[in-house]
Amino acid sequence: MAVFIGAIVQGGVGFGLGLIAAPVLTMLNPGVMPGAIQVVNFTLPLFTLAVEWRKVDWRGLGFALLGRLPGTVIGGFVVVYVSVHTLGVLVGVMVLIAVGLTARALSVPRNGATLATAGFVSGVTGTATGIGGPPIGLVYQSAKGPQIRATLAMFFALSAAQSLAVLAFVNRLPGEALATGAALLVPMIAGFLVSGPLRRYLDGGKVRAAILIVAAVSALVLIGHSVLR
């Protein structure tokens, strides 16, 4: 159910599956995380790209991936050596501050520096916790819905592939995680298929507000999950 609802949200906003599904999966079976959610994170964007691939911002994607690569490596070491609780609280607070600041402005500067920084933070948190959407989503909040979804989809597909490779390298990708991720593809596909009405509704000038709301909720979930875990 968490993956199904998360797929609906991400199908409309461009991100959000991790914030809903990752905490639930971690509570049910922490041994399969973050590998299981990364399997889903890799697959869902492929469905978005099949519909909206022509809207990808390739230049911005390049900068984001440039920052994401070192962030992914650091995230892998965080999984092994650092408390993800501390990381979750820190990143959650940073996202809340960013949401508060950008909610008062018309847009966030979208340039090489901000995209690379967002990609780096997303790489660390996405690999370590399975929640990496808010940083890159905030940078793209002023873009049109199709461009946001297409660019984030390409970013998440490549990012999840990076994370899976790093998790396998540091021996944190057990077979159970891959099997669980594969089983969750069914509710993920169902969620994407019913997300069409949400996409059309948000594309009517409501995408930015939706991104800020999802990012804020994601930060609160990450903080709460990190404190209570």
Side-chain angles (χ1 to χ4, degrees):
M1 183 60 69
V3 170
F4 173 74
I5 296 173
I8 294 175
V9 174
Q10 183 157 321
V13 180
F15 69 101
L17 187 148
L19 89 90
I20 296 173
V24 175
L25 287 170
T26 303
M27 287 186 288
L28 292 175
N29 189 355
V32 304
M33 288 294 288
I37 197 65
Q38 291 297 355
V39 173
V40 182
N41 283 341
F42 170 75
T43 310
L44 177 57
L46 302 181
F47 288 84
T48 299
L49 289 171
V51 178
E52 299 180 308
W53 65 270
R54 294 178 181 83
K55 301 296 183 181
V56 174
D57 174 18
W58 294 103
R59 180 178 180 277
L61 176 68
F63 281 111
L65 290 174
L66 187 65
R68 221 285 181 177
L69 184 57
T72 301
V73 175
I74 293 176
F77 282 100
V78 167
V79 172
V80 179
Y81 299 110
V82 182
S83 169
V84 294
H85 312 292
T86 303
L87 176 70
V89 172
L90 178 61
V91 172
V93 170
M94 290 171 56
V95 171
L96 284 177
I97 292 174
V99 170
L101 293 174
T102 58
R104 297 176 175 273
L106 293 177
S107 64
V108 174
R110 191 163 75 244
N111 51 46
T114 57
L115 286 164
T117 300
F120 175 80
V121 176
S122 179
V124 176
T125 61
T127 302
T129 69
I131 301 176
I136 197 74
L138 287 173
V139 176
Y140 271 97
Q141 64 179 278
S142 62
K144 294 185 181 299
Q147 185 183 52
I148 295 172
R149 290 189 295 269
T151 305
L152 265 62
M154 184 65 76
F155 176 78
F156 290 145
L158 297 174
S159 298
Q162 289 179 5
S163 295
L164 287 169
V166 170
L167 289 172
F169 179 77
V170 298
N171 198 29
R172 288 297 188 274
L173 189 62
E176 185 183 5
L178 295 175
T180 301
L184 292 173
L185 296 182
V186 175
M188 180 216 75
I189 294 172
F192 177 81
L193 291 176
V194 301
S195 67
L198 179 60
R199 283 197 297 275
R200 291 188 289 271
Y201 172 76
L202 294 176
D203 286 350
K206 300 177 177 65
V207 173
R208 182 173 180 269
I211 286 178
L212 292 176
I213 292 171
V214 173
V217 172
S218 177
L220 292 173
V221 169
L222 190 57
I223 293 171
H225 179 63
S226 300
V227 171
L228 299 175
R229 183 177 174 183

